């Protein structure tokens, strides 16, 4: 069959790149174009993928309800983070210590990257507007995250779950 590319992430060194298509993610040597390994841990399509700041791991999130942290050198699973529905978005903290996932149901969950344990779920907190979140983005200098949907953006602390700011679109 024909293999395509849904998207690409470049590793921090610039020497490696990760691509994904359907349920397979691949790590490539960006200098030679040679595929180094392929990760096949998902049973349905990968929606998004991110590289850890250290370049040693990646996380993919899929329509199979899984976010999976895996080794970028061996393409072996490190932790599987189970969800009740599709995982639409994922972010890796600047420290690499945790990841945040957002599901199709709008639930944002913080996970330990070291143990794979769930740290907190923002649907359980008074997060005001996060119930319908679609995307999560990390701040570059600290543990804040920005979760947003088409009408509301919320800045929150990923270690405590505290909502720091809300931005509401007024049309």
């Amino acid at each position: 069959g024909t293999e395509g590319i849904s998207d690409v992430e470049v590793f921090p060194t610039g020497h490696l790149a990760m691509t994904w298509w359907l349920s397979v993610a691949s790590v490539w040597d960006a200098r030679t174009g040679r595929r180094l390994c392929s990760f096949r841990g998902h049973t349905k399509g990968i929606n998004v993928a991110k590289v850890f700041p250290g370049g040693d791991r990646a996380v993919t999130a899929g329509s199979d309800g899984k976010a999976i942290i895996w080794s970028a050198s061996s393409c072996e699973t490190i932790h599987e983070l189970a969800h009740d529905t599709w995982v639409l978005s994922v972010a890796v903290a600047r420290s690499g210590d945790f990841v945040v996932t957002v599901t199709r149901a709008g639930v944002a969950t913080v996970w330990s990257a070291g143990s794979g344990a769930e740290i907190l779920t923002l649907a359980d907190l008074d997060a005001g507007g996060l119930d319908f979140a679609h995307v999560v983005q990390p701040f570059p200098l600290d543990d804040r995250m920005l979760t947003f949907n088409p009408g509301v953006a919320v800045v929150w602390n990923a270690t405590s779950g505290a909502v720091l700011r809300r931005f509401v679109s007024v049309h």
Side-chain angles (χ1 to χ4, degrees):
T2 303
E3 185 175 329
I5 294 176
S6 294
D7 210 341
V8 65
E9 280 281 314
V10 177
F11 282 71
T13 63
H15 300 299
L16 299 176
M18 173 179 52
T19 61
W20 58 97
W21 173 251
L22 302 175
S23 62
V24 178
S26 297
V27 177
W28 302 83
D29 184 318
R31 296 166 292 190
T32 66
R34 187 171 66 94
R35 185 189 326 239
L36 302 177
C37 64
S38 293
F39 175 70
R40 301 178 185 278
H42 288 277
T43 57
K44 293 185 180 176
I46 295 171
N47 296 323
V48 65
K50 298 293 179 187
V51 174
F52 276 71
D56 58 333
R57 295 171 287 170
V59 59
T60 48
S63 297
D64 56 3
K66 297 187 283 190
I68 304 174
I69 299 170
W70 48 278
S71 166
S73 60
S74 68
C75 287
E76 296 291 327
T77 297
I78 298 171
H79 299 296
E80 189 172 299
L81 315 174
H83 299 75
D84 292 335
T85 187
W86 295 6
V87 184
L88 296 180
S89 187
V90 66
V92 178
R94 174 190 56 85
S95 64
D97 293 339
F98 61 88
V99 298
V100 178
T101 57
V102 175
T103 66
R104 188 168 110 175
V107 175
T109 304
V110 180
W111 305 83
S112 166
S115 69
E118 184 178 319
I119 297 171
L120 64 92
T121 300
L122 287 175
D124 296 340
L125 302 172
D126 181 18
L130 286 180
D131 292 338
F132 304 104
H134 294 117
V135 177
V136 61
Q137 292 291 324
F139 276 73
L141 301 178
D142 56 32
D143 289 341
R144 291 178 297 162
M145 293 282 166
L146 174 70
T147 311
F148 63 93
N149 67 31
V152 178
V154 179
V155 178
W156 50 280
N157 181 299
T159 56
S160 70
V163 173
L164 305 172
R165 300 273 186 278
R166 282 185 85 222
F167 306 96
V168 179
S169 177
V170 178
H171 298 283

